[in-house]
Amino acid sequence: MKIDTSDVNVRTLLMSAFYIIPRFQRPYSWDNEEVAAFWNDAFESTDPDYFIGAFVVYGKSPYSKIVDGQQRLTTIIMILCILREKYKQLGFQNNADGIQAIVERSNVENDQEFVLQPESSYPFFQHRILDANSNYIAKASVSEEKQLESAYSQLNLCIESALDSVKTPQARKRRLDNIRDKLFDLKLVEIKLDTEEDAYIIFETLNARGKNLSLGDMLKAHVLGAAKPKNRQLDRPKDLWTETTEIIRDSVGDDAFDNFLLHYWLSKYEYTSHKKLFPLYKKMIKPSTAITFLEELQQYAEIYKEICTPEKVNWHSNELRLEAAMNAMNVFKVKQQMPMVLATVKLYRERKLSIKLARQVLKSIESFHFIFTAITSQRGSGGISQMYALHARRLTKCKTDKLEQGRVVAELIDKLASKLPSREDFILNFLELNYTSKRTRNKKLVQYILYNLFEHFNPSTKIDMQKMTIEHIGAESAAGKSKAIDEEHVGMLGNLLFISEAINNELGNISFDKKKSILKKKRYVLDPTISKARSWNNEKIKERTVLLAGLCYDVIWKLK
C-alpha cells in the first residue's frame, strides 16, 4: 500500500483538487454537540496554527475521493457558504464571489464544478448550500438532509453571534474576514492513497473524530464496493442500501440499524456476537452475490418494520393475534426473540408458514417473556439468544416442510417451558406490580395485563384498548385514610379493572356496592372474588391479586 502524507492548510486543500464523497461513506451525521465542538476548537482557540487532524483521500488528480474527513470538510464548506451569504447581505459582492470561486471553480475543460461533491445528499446539498444563486425551496426530507440543515442553521447562529458586538458594515466585514482567514489557515495532514482497495482497508480501521464506525457504516463500505453500478446515474445498489436504512431508521430509530443487521444474520446463519459479525458479512458478500443480498436485506427490513411498529400495519382479522404478540414484546422491551420472530413472519408473509403455526410461535414467545421478563424480571443468558437463533435457522431451512416446521415449533415451546420461573416466583412478583396516579412506571404493562384479563372474562365483548381506562376498585383518594385500604394495596392488580371511559366517569368515587351494581347493569362480567365480596379491603385486594396471578400463569399465558 502506497501512502503519501503532507502538511497542508484548508486553503491549499480546497484549491488542489475536487473532492468526491463516495457512496460507501456514512451520511453527514454530526449533531449539534459535534458542530459546536468543531466551531469552538477552530475559532475560539488562540493557536494560529490549529490542527484539525488527518484527511485521507484516494484517486487520480484532480479528483480525490474522501475516506476520512468528510464530516469536517462538509462543515468547513458550509461555513464558507454562510460567509458568502453574509458578505452579500452586507453589500460586499466581491468578497462573496471570492469565496464562491473556491466553493465552485473551473475544471481543466473550463466547466464549473463544486469543490465538494457528495453523492448521497444530491441534490439537496448542492442546491440548498453550495449554489450561490439557487432558488431551491424544497424542505429537507431524509435524515441526512435534516442533519445538514440543522448543522447549517447552527453554524449560521455561531457566525451571527460573532457579529453581535460590531454594528457598522465595515466592522462586520472585518469580523467575517477574520473568520474566513482563520478557517483557511487551519492545519491538517493529508494522506493520499492510490487505490480504492486501499481505501476500504483504511476506512474499516479509522474512526471519525474518535467515533467508532458502526457495523452499518462498515457493511455499507464493503457491499457497495462489491456491487459496482453499471451506470453511475442508475446506482441500484446505493438506492437499495439507502431505502433499506431509511425503512429501519424512520420506523424504529437511528440506533436500530446495527441491531437489525444482527437479527437478520441470526435468523438465517450461524450464531455470533455483534463484535464478530462484520468479518462474517464480509466473507459472505461477493461481487456476484451483493445485489441479491441487498434485495433480500430490504425485504427483511420491511418485515422488521412490521415487527417493531405493528400498530402501523393493516392486519387482517385472522392476523390480530400476531399483532397483539408483537405489541406485547414491545411493551416488555425484549429483543432476544427477534431472529425467531423475523424468520416466522418472513415465512408467513411468503405463504410458506401457516397462520396457525405463526400464531403458535408468537403467542408462545409472548407468554414466555410475559412470565420470564415482564413479571419476574429474569435476565436471559446467552443461551436464550442462541436458542432463538438456532430455531430461527432451522425454521428458515424447513421452507415448506410442514411436518418439520411443526417439530421445530414444538421443540422451541418445550425449550421455553423448561426455562420458565416457578409459579410461586411468578405470584410473588405479580404481587409487587403496582399502579397508581403517582406510580406510573408500569402503566403499559398493567394496561396489557388488564386488557387480557378483560378478554378472558368477557370473551364476546370486543373493545378498543385505547378507549379503556384503569379503574381502582377501592378509590386512590381513600387509601391510607381508613383501615380498609392502605397505599401499599391500592395499586395492586387485585384492586384494578379495565373499563371504558364512559363507565369510569359514571363510577367516580362511589361505594364498592354501588360500583358492583353499575358494572352488572352494564353487563360487565366480574370475576368471582369481586362478585362474592360484600366489602372491599386490603385482604380482598391481596386475595384477588393472588387469584389473578394464578389465572395468568395457569391459563391466559400458559405455554403448554
Side-chain angles (χ1 to χ4, degrees), residues 119-158:
E119 295 181 354
S120 62
S121 58
Y122 178 86
F124 179 84
F125 186 72
Q126 286 80 354
H127 285 297
R128 172 72 178 83
I129 296 169
L130 298 181
D131 189 352
N133 301 302
S134 176
N135 295 316
Y136 190 73
I137 58 173
K139 292 183 179 180
S141 56
V142 299
S143 56
E144 183 179 14
E145 292 176 1
K146 292 175 182 177
Q147 206 76 24
L148 286 164
E149 191 166 72
S150 176
Y152 187 89
S153 297
Q154 186 179 358
L155 291 166
N156 187 62
L157 289 174
C158 289

Side-chain angles (χ1 to χ4, degrees), residues 497-527:
L497 289 174
F498 215 36
I499 61 176
S500 67
E501 292 176 358
I503 296 177
N504 189 32
N505 292 333
E506 200 170 333
L507 294 179
N509 290 324
I510 60 178
S511 68
F512 173 68
D513 284 338
K514 289 181 178 178
K515 282 186 178 181
K516 277 208 306 182
S517 177
I518 291 173
L519 289 169
K520 287 178 180 178
K521 287 179 182 177
K522 300 291 183 181
R523 296 185 179 181
Y524 189 102
V525 179
L526 298 172
D527 55 85

